[in-house]
Amino acid sequence: MTDLTRLTASETAAAIKDRTVSAVEVTQAHLDRIATVDGQVHAFLHVDTEGALAQARKVDAGEFPGPLAGVPLALKDVLTMEGVPTTAGSKILEGWRPPYDATVTARLKAAGVVILGKTNMDEFAMGSSTEHSAYGPTHNPWDLTRIPGGSGGGSSAALASYQAPLAIGTDTGGSIRQPAAVTGTVGVKPTYGGVSRYGLVAFSSSLDQAGPCARTVLDAALLHEVIAGHDPHDSTSIDAPVPPVVEAARSRHIRGLRVGVVKELSGEGYEPGVQARFDEAVEILKDLGATVTEVSCPHFVYALPAYYLIAPSEASSNLARFDSVRYGLRVGDDGVNSLEEVMALTRAQGFGAEVKRRIILGTYALSSGYYDAYYGQAQKVRTLITRDFARAWESVDVLVAPTCPTVAFPLGAKLQDPLAMYRQDVASIPSNLYGGPAASFPAGLSDGLPVGLQVMAPTLRDDLLYRVGSAFEAALPAPVPSLAWENA
Amino acid sequence: MPEITREEVAHLARLARLALDDSELDVLAGQLDVILGAVAQIAEVTDAADVPPTSHAVPLVNVTRPDAVVPSLPREKVLAGAPAAEDGRFRVPRILDDSA
Amino acid sequence: MTAVPYDEALAEFEPVIGLETHVELGTASKMFCGCATEFGAEPNTQVCPVCLGLPGALPVVNETAIESTIRIGLALHCDIATWCRFARKNYFYPDMPKNFQTSQYDEPLCTDGYLDVLVAGETVRIPIERVHLEEDTGKSLHVGGATGRIHGASHSLVDYNRAGIPLVEIVTKPVTGTGTMPAEVAKAYVTELRDVLRGLGVSDVKMEQGSLRCDVNVSLNRPGQEWGTRSETKNVNSLRSVERAVRSEVERQAFRLRAGERIVQETRHFHEDTGMSTSGRSKEEATDYRYFPEPDLVPIAPDPVWVATLKDALPEAPSVRRLMLTKELGLSDNDSEAMVNAGVLDVVLATVEAGTSATEARNWWLGHLAQSANTAGVDAADLPITPAQVARVVALVNAGTLTAGLARQVVDGVLAGEGEPDAVVVSRGLAVVSDEGALAAAVDEAIAADPDAAEKVRSGKVAAAGALVGKVMKATRGQADASVARRLVLERLGVTADLS
Ligand SMILES: [Mg+2]
Ligand SMILES: [Zn+2]
């Protein structure tokens, strides 16, 4: 019998529909896989064995007709799921079981998707390596001594180690795309407002966006279609039809598509191997019939500094609610300390170093006297970056760039240097500031480690990402990790 | 170029309700200096001067809901996650500052 | 002595006042979620992920709250924004689930209006700076202290039912030129504002339940000099207290200024029980609110056509209604001002509409009902009696079923929750007794009990009959028809009087 964990999501769904296998068998195979390998990968923070099997049984009883019914999925621990622990990678939420489902979670359940559990992440999605998780790092299945990317390293590592064929990530500055790039998987940040943020534990509200992660372009599109669409519980949710992503993911042709290579997202700071794979990817796109031109987006170089003002500012406010009153950790309640002291002790102990760093930075950027120079100026730069995109769309249909400037680096390599860590996001951030969709697709290996091709598209043209991805995937299949450590 | 002192970080920590010790304040002051030094380059973007700020990535306005009551959470669920509860309410240590 | 008497203080200093009024809107659901807004519900039963600030929850604006705010702005002659945003006001407080308040900062919905109020026969125009929309906080119960106050408590218990109820903040510009009457002007403004809000039907404006709350700013300066440093007195929760708060602050500041001290810019807390305020947080160490546009809510851009429709549909202003009272119903200016000050203008009008004369309505609301309200410590308009019920009592008096004294007892019965006036008449047995047979025994007893008075009447001193009639009234617990009782007394004593 074939290894059920090696199937794609669409193959799995078809097999369950045909009754070749049962959803319970598929689910059990993945639970077994998790039990076998996750001790080494540490992709999951919580495995919901009972809930997953219960949902699989419902699928087998014919409750869900959808195209992903019975397919297992790994949910980033930043989305709430009723009754299941949700920590956002933080000690401050340890043990918290939300009384409600995120809209994404509810839609997955309604589609018959089997949620295996919650995946590891940098605390409150702040990081690019998953080393900032309060529960220990996740390891890259390509090389366990290296980072799986972040903040959604748990989700991408789960895919790359065949613990799940589908995963959900969230992307504030690249947290879906960079982990996808360094694990050789597919990750899509939809248009901001395309997928509901209700139930997504907020990092930076104006940038956060949940999206699909998978091993194939079609699987990502199928998942995209399940989770996307208007939600009245999210005021920033766009009330428009979901772009035809599945159709685009099956199209596999880009003849005549106008592709722009972003001049500012290359060169210095990009590893030669990464640059080489990117240049080859551009050649492949040309071979597939795309017209390729170089496009200048002069303000993209300011995206990183603008992001590191906007995101921490919003985070400093979003994270204020973790105060030991209504949920989560409480420290120092000895009957003597005042509430103010207990709050400050709880937050000092419950948040990790990176979170505290960003809270302090954001508090500074918003404080009176500094607002205009920092937060205000960053918001203006955001306008200029949006204008750069608008100008690009006058001449091209999509923009391409490396997803991130390096391959997966060794665990610990950048922990002492926040700025070096922040530079991982230099190429992914512009799309977050603009709001348009962007994706990372596997683009080969450099020194045996995956490299990602990033594609960026105009707002609500998420379908273009899948068009490019499907054609590119057909021309250059995703690399397969050896997972030699499994038998070591 | 900003020069962040330990006292300034201590003030920020008070605003953010973080009980940080002196060594943490020192480390953060140093790191904040470096980070702010790096992000300070956005001041160079002089063509931003008369550009409107972008606060939202979506061009939506007037997203509202009708004034209709929907069921609230049952109280057991409301208080289930509380570090401490008493008489149907969230229990907190004594409050010092009575101004809001 | 730490105060200068009010009149003396105002002879020496010029006051500048400012008022911030918070009004809880009477919407069915909260500002950003669908939880109910019932007052007095069991703690934490009207809460959800949104108003508890649970991780991941997001707000969605209540459209009726926007409409009500715009209507308030229009009634106060404000400009209505064509585009504005909500902002986050960041500070930590246990009553505030997200530790920021979703409010409005530099882009309020309504700006630049005014409200005319009548004080001592003169119209004073109060300039309005802004009207904006925000959310209310929860409530803490302080346990273990002697007074139930925060100070000295061992711990506190938080109820978030109130958290997220839509709250409109109405801020005046600094009001100058109030001369010797800043406290009276402040009270008249809040009274008039309350009547405007009640007329709009946007809030129940019950100060005792906290749905209308005031912060009062006061500063003093010597004539010709710059404005002084202001203090802000919070939690002023009755009309009387608005006046008391300004008065006590004028007296306190004058004392300090006279002593050559400077006024500290500070927040003070008003205590309803003592009528005094105590110093709170000093503004010099005030927190930095780090406002920024709320990213979870998109901008509000009211359609000008819609706003014009709302404007056309506004009810008459209380000042116009007051004019109607004086011009069409013939009440004096003094009467109408007294009614405004007592906050009963609307109920008086409603009582007239329910069928009484203006004078009858005035007499009830400024008379017995005003006394009852005073005794109960509430505003007359908030008494548990409706204008229709008052009108029914008046009708019963006019029909001869009740005397004035009986009518007061019926009203007391209604106030005590005994039901409609007719039901109280029956249950308390209060109808006038004019049946001569029923009164005859009481008349005989009165004569027998006071032979002196009887003799005087017999000898022609008819005025002495009053004492005997009084006895009859007393014996019948006020139910006797006094004119019938008097005729019977005289007849029995052999005197015929012209009773017409
Ligand atoms: Mg306010
Ligand atoms: Zn609610």
Side-chain angles (χ1 to χ4, degrees):
Chain A
M1 187 176 166
T2 51
D3 182 349
L4 295 174
T5 64
R6 296 278 170 158
L7 299 178
T8 68
S10 56
E11 288 164 351
T12 304
I16 292 170
K17 200 173 183 187
D18 295 350
R19 307 228 164 230
T20 313
V21 292
S22 69
V24 168
E25 286 173 283
V26 169
T27 301
Q28 193 57 57
H30 284 88
L31 292 170
D32 293 346
R33 175 76 186 161
I34 292 168
T36 307
V37 301
D38 207 41
Q40 284 165 284
V41 178
H42 192 36
F44 283 89
L45 292 177
H46 177 83
V47 178
D48 184 23
T49 305
E50 286 315 308
L53 288 169
Q55 171 85 340
R57 281 192 289 272
K58 285 193 202 169
V59 172
D60 288 333
E63 274 196 38
F64 309 102
L68 290 179
V71 181
L73 174 140
L75 185 62
K76 189 176 179 183
D77 200 27
V78 74
L79 288 148
T80 62
M81 182 168 175
E82 186 174 351
V84 173
T86 299
T87 67
S90 182
K91 283 285 178 205
I92 211 159
L93 270 180
E94 190 165 20
W96 182 57
R97 291 173 186 261
Y100 79 109
D101 276 337
T103 298
V104 165
T105 308
R107 288 185 180 181
L108 291 169
K109 286 181 176 176
V113 172
V114 174
I115 300 172
L116 296 170
K118 310 296 289 291
T119 57
N120 200 10
M121 55 183 287
D122 286 297
E123 185 177 1
F124 289 108
M126 296 178 186
S128 306
S129 68
T130 314
E131 293 167 292
H132 293 309
S133 167
Y135 303 96
T138 298
H139 301 261
N140 192 324
W142 287 81
D143 177 348
L144 294 179
T145 68
R146 290 176 185 267
I147 60 113
S151 61
S155 284
S156 58
L159 296 175
S161 56
Y162 300 96
Q163 300 186 58
L166 295 175
I168 296 290
T170 62
D171 191 315
T172 305
S175 287
I176 287 174
R177 290 163 286 162
Q178 181 256 11
V182 301
T183 58
T185 57
V186 175
V188 178
K189 180 199 93 74
T191 296
Y192 180 88
V195 175
S196 171
R197 291 186 297 114
Y198 189 73
L200 192 177
V201 179
F203 163 16
S204 180
S205 309
S206 76
L207 304 168
D208 295 342
Q209 185 61 205
C213 306
R215 289 192 296 262
T216 72
V217 175
L218 177 61
D219 284 359
L222 290 167
L223 182 53
H224 190 132
E225 200 165 66
V226 165
I227 60 173
H230 181 242
D231 177 15
H233 290 110
D234 175 358
S235 302
T236 61
S237 169
I238 297 171
D239 192 359
V242 177
V245 290
V246 173
E247 188 190 319
R250 295 187 200 276
S251 70
R252 297 189 178 188
H253 87 87
I254 53 169
R255 194 162 307 282
L257 194 76
R258 298 170 303 164
V259 174
V261 175
V262 183
K263 184 176 152 220
E264 285 77 11
L265 301 181
S266 67
E268 199 195 334
Y270 292 79
E271 286 179 358
V274 169
Q275 190 67 49
R277 292 299 88 74
F278 174 70
D279 293 342
E280 290 160 20
V282 171
E283 289 308 312
I284 291 172
L285 296 178
K286 277 185 197 164
D287 291 346
L288 290 166
T291 40
V292 177
T293 51
E294 188 180 71
V295 172
S296 175
C297 296
H299 297 95
F300 279 20
V301 297
Y302 300 107
L304 189 67
Y307 174 85
Y308 276 96
L309 290 167
I310 292 170
S313 295
E314 293 183 4
S316 70
S317 174
N318 283 328
L319 269 52
R321 71 189 61 197
F322 300 100
D323 62 1
S324 84
V325 174
R326 291 161 304 283
Y327 40 79
L329 186 69
R330 177 178 289 183
V331 173
D333 186 2
D334 57 2
V336 177
N337 282 330
S338 69
L339 176 60
E340 289 74 7
E341 289 161 326
V342 169
M343 276 189 190
L345 288 167
T346 300
R347 290 165 59 79
Q349 199 164 310
F351 290 139
E354 181 63 26
V355 172
K356 285 188 263 192
R357 188 151 51 230
R358 295 205 199 185
I359 288 174
I360 293 287
L361 176 59
T363 304
Y364 179 83
L366 287 175
S367 56
S368 70
Y370 297 105
Y371 181 94
D372 289 340
Y374 289 107
Y375 189 77
Q377 177 79 356
Q379 298 270 46
K380 290 178 172 183
V381 169
R382 192 169 180 180
T383 307
L384 292 171
I385 287 165
T386 301
R387 288 179 182 175
D388 281 357
F389 272 108
R391 203 165 304 115
W393 305 141
E394 290 169 11
S395 59
V396 298
D397 300 310
V398 295
L399 291 171
V400 293
T403 304
C404 85
T406 71
V407 294
F409 51 84
L411 287 160
K414 297 184 197 286
L415 269 180
Q416 302 311 317
D417 185 354
L419 278 184
M421 186 78 88
Y422 297 171
R423 275 194 287 270
Q424 281 288 301
D425 298 331
V426 69
S428 49
I429 283 170
S431 286
N432 296 94
L433 293 173
Y434 156 57
S440 180
F441 301 111
L445 303 175
S446 167
D447 291 333
L449 292 169
V451 171
L453 165 69
Q454 184 182 198
V455 184
M456 295 164 263
T459 299
L460 285 177
R461 289 308 308 274
D462 307 48
D463 54 312
L464 289 176
L465 306 177
Y466 289 98
R467 232 183 108 187
V468 175
S470 69
F472 187 70
E473 181 185 55
L476 182 69
V480 177
S482 75
L483 309 183
W485 46 266
E486 266 195 75
N487 307 312
Chain B
M1 190 57 102
E3 268 288 335
I4 308 293
T5 63
R6 181 207 280 180
E7 285 64 40
E8 279 179 276
V9 178
H11 172 68
L12 296 170
R14 259 195 309 279
L15 284 176
R17 285 270 206 283
L18 288 169
L20 303 179
D21 61 33
D22 283 355
S23 70
E24 282 180 290
L25 292 176
D26 285 334
V27 169
L28 274 168
Q31 289 176 336
L32 217 56
D33 253 357
V34 173
I35 296 168
L36 286 170
V39 298
Q41 59 168 299
I42 64 160
E44 298 165 6
V45 193
T46 49
D47 54 344
D50 42 0
V51 159
T54 294
S55 56
H56 297 77
V58 282
L60 301 172
V61 292
N62 296 334
V63 176
T64 59
R65 40 171 273 275
D67 179 27
V69 174
V70 299
S72 298
L73 286 172
R75 192 159 72 184
E76 321 83 77
K77 286 194 180 188
V78 170
L79 298 173
E86 187 176 314
D87 288 344
R89 298 175 172 89
F90 294 89
R91 182 188 162 128
V92 298
R94 68 198 173 87
I95 301 168
L96 278 187
D97 180 10
D98 69 333
S99 53
Chain C
M1 184 65 198
T2 55
V4 175
Y6 183 65
D7 293 339
E8 204 180 300
L10 292 169
E12 190 172 336
F13 298 98
E14 290 176 349
V16 179
I17 58 172
L19 290 121
E20 288 177 30
T21 310
H22 285 96
V23 186
E24 273 183 2
L25 293 179
T27 51
S29 67
K30 291 187 179 180
M31 183 65 223
F32 299 118
C33 64
C35 289
T37 57
E38 295 304 327
F39 182 82
E42 283 295 300
N44 294 307
T45 56
Q46 293 179 164
V47 291
C48 73
V50 176
C51 58
L52 277 174
L54 294 192
L58 294 172
V60 186
V61 169
N62 182 331
E63 64 187 15
T64 302
I66 298 284
E67 180 178 312
S68 296
T69 307
I70 291 174
R71 292 178 67 231
I72 293 169
L74 290 169
L76 298 176
H77 313 95
C78 289
D79 300 330
I80 308 302
T82 52
W83 190 92
C84 66
R85 285 179 296 192
F86 286 94
R88 291 188 185 179
K89 181 180 184 180
N90 293 286
Y91 62 102
F92 281 83
Y93 201 67
D95 294 353
M96 206 165 54
K98 298 167 291 181
N99 287 315
F100 61 78
Q101 184 190 35
T102 305
S103 180
Q104 294 192 285
Y105 179 46
D106 50 356
E107 297 162 342
L109 260 171
C110 321
T111 50
D112 253 335
Y114 65 86
L115 180 65
D116 286 338
V117 303
L118 201 59
V119 185
E122 300 238 358
T123 297
V124 179
R125 178 158 291 189
I126 308 295
I128 305 289
E129 171 88 30
R130 58 189 283 150
V131 178
H132 78 239
L133 186 52
E134 57 188 32
E135 58 183 335
D136 209 342
T137 60
K139 269 181 175 168
S140 290
L141 197 70
H142 307 298
V143 183
T147 57
R149 283 194 195 154
I150 200 159
H151 188 73
S154 66
H155 63 280
S156 298
L157 302 174
V158 192
D159 167 17
Y160 292 102
N161 280 349
R162 198 180 69 174
I165 289 182
L167 200 61
V168 166
E169 182 173 326
I170 301 162
V171 185
T172 69
K173 293 178 181 170
V175 183
T176 57
T178 57
T180 58
M181 294 196 295
E184 293 82 348
V185 169
K187 184 186 177 198
Y189 163 75
V190 178
T191 307
E192 181 82 10
L193 180 62
R194 191 183 61 165
D195 286 346
V196 168
L197 296 166
R198 188 182 281 129
L200 290 169
V202 294
S203 169
D204 62 12
V205 288
K206 289 185 177 169
M207 294 190 85
E208 75 279 9
Q209 289 184 3
S211 58
L212 186 107
R213 324 196 276 271
C214 285
D215 300 343
V216 174
N217 290 295
V218 175
S219 76
L220 296 181
N221 57 272
R222 289 186 194 278
Q225 303 208 332
E226 283 188 10
W227 292 353
T229 303
R230 72 191 163 88
S231 66
E232 180 180 13
T233 306
K234 297 220 172 234
N235 307 325
V236 185
N237 294 339
S238 72
L239 288 176
R240 191 163 81 99
S241 296
V242 170
E243 188 167 5
R244 289 194 301 175
V246 175
R247 191 176 276 267
S248 70
E249 212 27 38
V250 164
E251 294 173 347
R252 187 190 68 88
Q253 289 189 17
F255 179 83
R256 307 205 77 184
L257 290 171
R258 258 195 196 172
E261 293 173 46
R262 69 189 188 96
I263 304 299
V264 183
Q265 187 171 351
E266 64 178 351
T267 301
R268 300 182 67 81
H269 297 276
F270 190 79
H271 304 291
E272 287 288 333
D273 44 358
T274 60
M276 302 299 286
S277 67
T278 53
S279 178
R281 162 168 53 80
S282 146
K283 281 275 177 178
E284 276 138 329
E285 59 197 55
T287 192
D288 177 347
Y289 291 124
R290 291 158 284 135
Y291 283 100
F292 70 102
E294 165 58 282
D296 287 330
L297 294 170
V298 302
I300 299 293
D303 177 359
V305 176
W306 176 58
V307 172
T309 316
L310 293 178
K311 189 172 186 179
D312 289 344
L314 285 181
E316 281 170 334
S319 53
V320 175
R321 294 159 70 79
R322 193 159 55 232
L323 211 62
M324 193 178 93
L325 269 182
T326 50
K327 291 274 149 51
E328 293 181 23
L329 301 178
L331 290 179
S332 71
D333 281 350
N334 278 350
D335 274 346
S336 77
E337 190 179 339
M339 281 188 274
V340 169
N341 286 339
V344 296
L345 185 64
D346 281 305
V347 285
V348 165
L349 278 169
T351 307
V352 172
E353 273 158 30
T356 75
S357 74
T359 310
E360 286 161 343
R362 174 211 170 279
N363 290 348
W364 274 104
W365 287 104
L366 290 181
H368 184 66
L369 288 169
Q371 283 164 24
S372 304
N374 202 26
T375 308
V378 300
D379 293 322
D382 293 333
L383 286 170
I385 187 167
T386 64
Q389 289 169 330
V390 175
R392 176 62 188 157
V393 172
V394 170
L396 291 172
V397 172
N398 291 342
T401 312
L402 296 177
T403 62
L406 287 174
R408 282 194 288 275
Q409 293 182 54
V410 172
V411 164
D412 291 343
V414 174
L415 292 175
E418 293 166 23
E420 290 298 318
D422 290 283
V424 175
V425 168
V426 172
S427 64
R428 288 198 177 192
L430 292 176
V432 166
V433 178
S434 51
D435 173 53
E436 297 186 14
L439 289 179
V443 169
D444 288 345
E445 277 171 34
I447 290 169
D450 194 349
D452 288 355
E455 195 44 49
K456 281 182 184 161
V457 176
R458 281 196 190 95
S459 66
K461 290 181 179 152
V462 175
L468 297 169
V469 172
K471 282 202 162 56
V472 173
M473 297 305 290
K474 199 169 179 187
T476 57
R477 300 200 332 276
Q479 279 172 266
D481 181 324
S483 61
V484 175
R486 181 178 168 80
R487 180 163 54 75
L488 289 178
V489 166
L490 294 177
E491 278 174 11
R492 188 58 58 99
L493 296 173
V495 180
T496 47
D498 181 6
L499 296 168
S500 60

